[in-house]
Amino acid sequence: MSYGIIKSIENIIRNIAKVSASAGCVSLIVMAVVTTVDVVGRNLFDAPMKGALEIVSVCLTLALFGGMPYAESLNEHIKVDILTCRFSVSVQNTLESGINWLYFLLMGVLS
């Protein structure tokens, strides 16, 4: 019974992470469009887009932090395991657990 609840919570979290990643992708497109409009407006019409820097800054933040939950949910983030691959499985699992808690706390502080 509890396994089914955990699986349903994992599915909900994974769906939220997919929505977050999609928002990050959309923000990249918005960032490209705003930058293009700003550059074209500045060079051709001598009228840069007002607030372009702020919009691009917010979109960059959304793109960065939008993709992180999805990568984490798939366990596809960047890992450097030059040293840890030589440890036993139990030590690797302990390190992984500690890093996940550290990541959780860091994201809590950042949000």
Side-chain angles (χ1 to χ4, degrees):
M1 170 106 170
S2 64
Y3 181 74
I5 293 171
I6 291 173
K7 278 310 222 181
S8 65
I9 291 172
E10 283 180 354
N11 287 335
I12 291 169
I13 291 173
R14 186 159 290 140
N15 287 335
I16 291 171
K18 284 180 184 178
V19 169
S20 177
S22 298
C25 291
V26 169
S27 71
L28 285 173
I29 294 168
V30 169
M31 193 168 51
V33 169
V34 167
T35 302
T36 302
V37 168
D38 183 45
V39 169
V40 168
R42 179 179 294 122
N43 290 333
L44 294 181
F45 306 113
D46 199 26
M49 183 176 171
K50 293 183 192 240
L53 180 64
E54 290 80 10
I55 294 170
V56 169
S57 297
V58 170
C59 286
L60 181 61
T61 304
L62 184 61
L64 175 66
F65 289 106
M68 286 177 113
Y70 186 65
E72 183 66 29
S73 72
L74 296 178
N75 204 19
E76 292 290 330
H77 49 279
I78 297 173
K79 292 182 183 180
V80 179
D81 59 355
I82 296 170
L83 180 64
T84 59
C85 66
R86 296 186 177 130
F87 295 152
S88 68
V89 174
S90 63
V91 173
Q92 289 179 9
N93 290 337
T94 303
L95 284 173
E96 184 78 22
S97 176
I99 289 170
N100 285 337
W101 277 107
L102 183 64
Y103 181 76
F104 173 75
L105 292 173
L106 179 65
M107 289 299 112
V109 168
L110 287 176
S111 63

